[in-house]
Amino acid sequence: MLIDDISRFRDLRKSDDDFGFGSYDREKKATPGQLFGAVLRDGPPVGIHFIVWCDSYNNVDRWFSRQTLREFEMRVAFQMSAADSSNLIDSPAASRLGTNRALLYSDERGTAEKFRPYGPPSDEWLKWLQPQLPQPRAEDLAIADDINLWVVS
């Protein structure tokens, strides 16, 4: 799944108040942000993966807890402040990037590789990639425009 500009989806924002006041005998309904976190955490083993774009680390911090951010194995960082870079990729390296440069950070390996992010893929690579991707069946495709229609089990 691709989420372009996560800040447009305010319902997915992490809850600022995890210690809500409510009745002890009633189970509190999960928020959309909590459900989204569950899909990020539990989705990869069943083939649900996310690519999320965000315009600033400040917004990343508003939408994702530190633990949820760890669910993103790979992160791309463009030029940003040393503090934001350290929070996002555990290194101030993104603060030293020039224009048209980015870092591909692997959380599992703790590595960051500098690259030029702008350029279309070659036709040969696209031809190689297509058979590698699982082909969904038409009946499996569904579009949920309303977050209330999402089902998480």
Side-chain angles (χ1 to χ4, degrees):
M1 299 184 132
L2 174 67
I3 298 178
D4 182 23
D5 195 3
I6 188 77
S7 62
R8 294 182 307 148
F9 302 94
R10 295 195 183 275
D11 287 346
L12 299 181
R13 198 171 176 173
K14 73 179 178 183
S15 175
D16 291 332
D17 182 20
D18 289 335
F19 305 103
F21 296 102
S23 174
Y24 289 108
D25 58 348
R26 270 191 290 168
E27 189 174 314
K28 193 173 183 180
K29 188 176 177 181
T31 66
Q34 291 167 332
L35 294 174
F36 180 53
V39 175
L40 288 172
R41 181 187 65 244
D42 300 331
V46 294
I48 300 172
H49 302 276
F50 285 87
I51 297 174
V52 178
W53 178 83
C54 194
D55 63 345
S56 69
Y57 178 75
N58 199 19
N59 280 333
V60 168
D61 192 42
R62 286 185 185 124
W63 263 257
F64 303 110
S65 68
R66 255 336 243 171
Q67 183 60 37
T68 304
L69 187 59
R70 294 281 179 217
E71 300 301 332
F72 292 96
E73 161 59 26
M74 307 290 281
R75 302 178 206 145
V76 175
F78 292 83
Q79 189 172 30
M80 62 180 66
S81 74
D84 289 351
S85 178
S86 293
N87 286 322
L88 184 64
I89 64 170
D90 298 329
S91 164
S95 68
R96 297 184 297 269
L97 290 172
T99 57
N100 299 323
R101 298 289 186 273
L103 289 174
L104 175 62
Y105 174 75
S106 169
D107 192 46
E108 182 179 342
R109 292 180 287 168
T111 60
E113 182 178 339
K114 190 189 296 187
F115 70 101
R116 290 183 186 189
Y118 303 105
S122 68
D123 289 337
E124 297 82 31
W125 185 80
L126 291 173
K127 287 176 186 173
W128 170 84
L129 180 64
Q130 187 174 12
Q132 311 298 320
L133 299 174
Q135 301 301 315
R137 299 177 306 174
E139 60 269 15
D140 292 340
L141 298 177
I143 297 174
D145 294 333
D146 182 355
I147 195 164
N148 295 320
L149 299 176
W150 291 14
V151 176
V152 177
S153 57

